[in-house]
Amino acid sequence: MRIALGAAQAAADAGETPVGAVVVDPATGEVVAVGANEPIGAHDPTAHAEIVALRAAAQARGNYRLTDLTLVVTLEPCAMCAGAISHARIGRVVYGADDPKGGAVVHGPRFFDQPTCHWRPLIVGGVLAEESAALLRGFFRARRKARLD
């Protein structure tokens, strides 16, 4: 999660919403891929940290199926990212902060609980949640302040 938080900080430094993600092979401890939010810079609405990391991991592995790998992300994934996680067959998702407004894992549509979901990873939430949430709060607080100045 510390690596994901570093990627989230890099996203914030680039003016992107501070969310970071890492794909890890739990069998070896290898960091397969790291992603940070980049929809603004990439001009790509799908460039969420999870998607960026999943794409890089699939390229690194030469396979779009990432079974048995773990995705670590600083914020509860949205519906789009949950769909990509399911299609990639990620074995486990570890996330930091809950996202009651846009999350789709334990909030909103609860994507992996739907009968139409064909792959359900193990979910672990709340890892370094306060640090993840504080990064987001600070980022948006600074943006609001800048608008008022």
Side-chain angles (χ1 to χ4, degrees):
M1 185 62 81
R2 294 273 176 220
I3 296 169
L5 282 165
Q9 183 61 60
D13 294 345
E16 304 275 2
T17 300
V19 178
V22 180
V23 177
V24 178
D25 184 337
T28 65
E30 172 195 9
V31 173
V32 178
V34 178
N37 259 11
E38 55 183 55
I40 298 167
H43 309 290
D44 179 357
T46 69
H48 289 195
E50 298 95 312
I51 302 292
V52 172
L54 291 173
R55 285 177 178 156
Q59 288 297 312
R61 289 294 167 105
N63 192 338
Y64 76 103
R65 294 279 170 94
L66 303 174
T67 310
D68 299 325
L69 298 182
T70 296
L71 174 70
V72 180
V73 60
T74 58
L75 183 66
E76 177 185 352
C78 70
M80 175 183 69
C81 293
I85 290 163
S86 181
H87 283 284
R89 307 295 197 259
I90 286 286
R92 182 169 66 153
V93 174
V94 176
Y95 73 88
D98 283 335
D99 187 357
K101 185 176 177 183
V105 176
V106 298
H107 294 93
R110 297 177 179 245
F111 186 90
F112 300 117
D113 294 340
Q114 300 308 312
T116 54
C117 180
H118 300 296
W119 181 267
R120 294 167 179 85
L122 174 68
I123 304 294
V124 178
V127 177
L128 297 180
E130 185 49 42
E131 288 183 49
S132 298
L135 186 57
L136 286 157
R137 282 191 306 270
F139 175 79
F140 287 112
R141 185 178 304 117
R143 287 184 60 143
R144 284 189 301 274
K145 184 180 181 320
R147 267 199 318 257
L148 296 174
D149 290 342

